[in-house]
Amino acid sequence: MPTHQQTLEQQRAHAAWQAIKEVRTNEQKKYSAIARTAPSYILTNGLGQTLAFLSAKSDAEKTLYRHLESWLKTRLKIADAQFDAREWIGRTDSAMYRRAMVETLAYLTWLKRFAEAEFGVEEE
């Protein structure tokens, strides 16, 4: 019988795999590179600034932003159909912000692994 943590990890893995399958061919290498560096951006600059950065960049970054936003909405059980993670970050309390940050980092672990396995790594 799986533990709650294993079940959550399986949910993250499944969602990440579904997200990876949506990445367009012309975005794959860039997506892999940004998924690999996004955790350090979050730890250095915070979740809010990282989401703002991703949403303002190229298609690959915007795709990663949409994947992270979708996962946060699902995982944090946010029912708002017009959910915008950037706006939500600005009005949530610090405990929920920390929870969102931890969850995003955990989800990125799966996105990064699957992206590197499927798309390779873009050389910088």
Side-chain angles (χ1 to χ4, degrees), residues 5-21:
Q5 185 64 29
Q6 290 168 326
T7 301
L8 179 53
E9 285 301 311
Q10 290 170 341
Q11 291 171 5
R12 288 178 185 135
H14 177 74
W17 180 247
Q18 297 306 309
I20 290 299
K21 293 188 326 187

Side-chain angles (χ1 to χ4, degrees), residues 14-84:
H14 177 74
W17 180 247
Q18 297 306 309
I20 290 299
K21 293 188 326 187
E22 297 173 359
V23 177
R24 293 183 297 195
T25 304
N26 64 328
E27 298 175 1
Q28 291 176 345
K29 292 286 186 187
K30 182 69 175 173
Y31 184 98
S32 181
I34 197 69
R36 193 175 76 237
T37 58
S40 64
Y41 292 168
I42 292 170
L43 293 173
T44 302
N45 302 307
L47 180 59
Q49 288 183 3
T50 301
L51 291 175
F53 168 79
L54 292 173
S55 69
K57 297 302 256 176
S58 73
D59 289 342
E61 284 95 345
K62 288 178 183 175
T63 299
L64 179 59
Y65 170 83
R66 284 192 314 275
H67 292 160
L68 296 176
E69 182 180 59
S70 175
W71 177 250
L72 284 174
K73 182 178 179 180
T74 299
R75 182 69 190 120
L76 300 177
K77 296 177 176 55
I78 298 170
D80 183 359
Q82 302 300 317
F83 176 69
D84 182 317

Side-chain angles (χ1 to χ4, degrees), residues 87-101:
E87 180 183 327
W88 179 83
I89 294 280
R91 59 184 162 83
T92 195
D93 62 54
S94 62
M96 187 60 85
Y97 178 87
R98 283 190 304 276
R99 182 174 172 216
M101 190 166 126

